Amino acid sequence: MAEPPGTPPQPDGPFHQPWPGRGAGSTAAYGQVVRTDNKAVAALVLGVGAWVCGGPFLALPGVILGGLSLRDIGRSEGTLTGRPLAITGLIVAGLSLLMFGGILGVLVLGALASG
């Protein structure tokens, strides 16, 4: 299909890069910088750290930062990315927190049952 007159040609090929702020799925206005939310990265790191080290001291901040990151990404109008990182960090930290709570519950019930 022919381009209308006055339309600049669109480059094709493997070396074509999209304009800044216009990546896949981006809704940011032209010229705005799209960046990954640091809270999403921190949530993922804390979630994995809590899973590996098995401690609620990493899991609880991971859950909180994951939720805050999702809120910020939703309000950013496309200028913040990292939703998959935030969701993964939230899930991994939450599972770690549940696992620690289950282990603690079993230990407490065992101590109560033994007298």
Side-chain angles (χ1 to χ4, degrees), residues 34-81:
V34 178
R35 63 182 180 87
T36 303
D37 187 26
N38 292 333
K39 286 191 252 356
V41 175
L44 181 62
V45 169
L46 289 170
V48 171
W51 189 260
V52 171
C53 297
F57 301 109
L58 296 177
L60 188 59
V63 169
I64 292 169
L65 285 176
L68 291 174
S69 177
L70 287 174
R71 182 197 66 189
D72 292 347
I73 291 170
R75 292 179 179 176
S76 73
E77 297 180 0
T79 59
L80 285 177
T81 61

Side-chain angles (χ1 to χ4, degrees), residues 2-13:
E3 297 291 327
T7 303
Q10 299 297 318
D12 292 328

